Amino acid sequence: MSSPENSFDTKAVLITGGARRIGAAIARVLHAAGLDVIIHYRHSADAGLALQEELHEHRPGSVRLCQADLTNPGACQTLTQCAHQAFGRLDALI
C-alpha cells in the first residue's frame, strides 16, 4: 500500500473557490493526500495567501494561487495557463 504522500503521484488539482470555506477544506484534504494544489480565488487573496502559507509549512512549493473572475469567458483559459505554469499539468478540477 502506498503512503499518503505518494497516493496520487504528485498530480495537480485546481480547486475553484479554494481559498475559503468548503474549498479550503477540500484543498487541505487533497494536499494532505499528496496532491499539488492550485487554489483559485476571485476576491479572497488574503485567505488564499494564508492557506498557501499553512500548506507550505507541510510541503513547500506544492501550492499556487490563481486569481480569476469566473463570470469572464476567458477565465478558464487563465486558470488552465496558471496550472500549467505552476506544475506543468492539470489532473483534476473541483
Side-chain angles (χ1 to χ4, degrees), residues 6-63:
N6 297 322
S7 63
F8 286 100
D9 193 29
T10 61
K11 295 190 188 260
V13 60
L14 168 62
I15 303 167
T16 60
R20 301 178 0 164
R21 298 184 290 271
I22 293 171
I26 292 169
R28 287 182 180 100
V29 168
L30 294 178
H31 186 266
L35 277 83
D36 289 332
V37 178
I38 301 108
I39 297 171
H40 158 263
Y41 66 92
R42 182 176 179 187
H43 297 295
S44 303
D46 291 341
L49 285 169
L51 180 58
Q52 182 182 41
E53 289 177 15
E54 171 191 331
L55 297 178
H56 276 173
E57 289 179 14
H58 301 284
R59 201 160 29 94
S62 58
V63 179

